[in-house]
Amino acid sequence: MDTIFTKEPELLHIKLNGSFDLDSFIELLIKIGTEDKNKVIIDATDLQNTDISYDIRYELIVAAKEYLNEKAKYAVVWPPIDINNFIISNLNRFGVTIQIFPKLAKAKKWLLSLS
């Protein structure tokens, strides 16, 4: 899984390419948690193998809860066919402001509308 970090004036944009890999994604969450931006877009539009099991989704919830900055806000762009709100719903319950979108434009609009 390849990642490209782009720091824009109002947010951090992370573009993911290649194939989903749990260990690489957890490493990404650790790195994102150390960034100083309060608004982050994780763009997995071009990521492959994104129809992940609930076991993997649960592992991502645990890792995100541990590593992400709860003061920051996160928008995730995921391939529409594989969108599942399980992760988002659980992270929201744990106090992480995060939403999932099928299109980058909608994700960016939502994220920039937050104070």
Side-chain angles (χ1 to χ4, degrees), residues 20 22 24 33 40 48 63 67 69 83-84 87 89 107 110 114:
F20 176 87
L22 179 60
S24 296
V40 178
Q48 304 297 312
Y67 299 117
N69 177 356
I83 287 180
N84 178 304
I87 292 173
S89 298
W110 173 79
L114 302 174

Side-chain angles (χ1 to χ4, degrees), residues 73-90:
K73 293 158 180 74
Y74 304 92
V76 178
V77 183
W78 204 254
I81 194 167
D82 296 325
I83 287 180
N84 178 304
N85 289 317
F86 178 74
I87 292 173
I88 303 304
S89 298
N90 282 288

Side-chain angles (χ1 to χ4, degrees), residues 21 26 34 53 80 93 96 101 106:
D21 175 73
I26 290 174
T34 65
S53 71
R93 284 192 351 219
V96 178
F101 300 90
K106 288 184 179 183

Side-chain angles (χ1 to χ4, degrees), residues 38-39 71 73 110-115:
N38 289 327
K39 295 180 181 180
K71 294 177 183 175
K73 293 158 180 74
W110 173 79
L111 195 58
L112 294 175
S113 74
L114 302 174
S115 55

Side-chain angles (χ1 to χ4, degrees), residues 1-6 13-29 31-32 41-50 77-78:
M1 190 172 81
D2 298 319
T3 59
I4 300 168
F5 281 71
T6 306
H13 184 171
I14 302 157
K15 179 73 175 158
L16 305 179
N17 292 302
S19 184
F20 176 87
D21 175 73
L22 179 60
D23 292 335
S24 296
F25 208 94
I26 290 174
E27 288 177 23
L28 174 66
L29 294 175
K31 182 168 177 153
I32 291 170
I41 289 181
I42 301 169
D43 182 0
T45 304
D46 298 325
L47 195 62
Q48 304 297 312
N49 300 317
T50 54
V77 183
W78 204 254

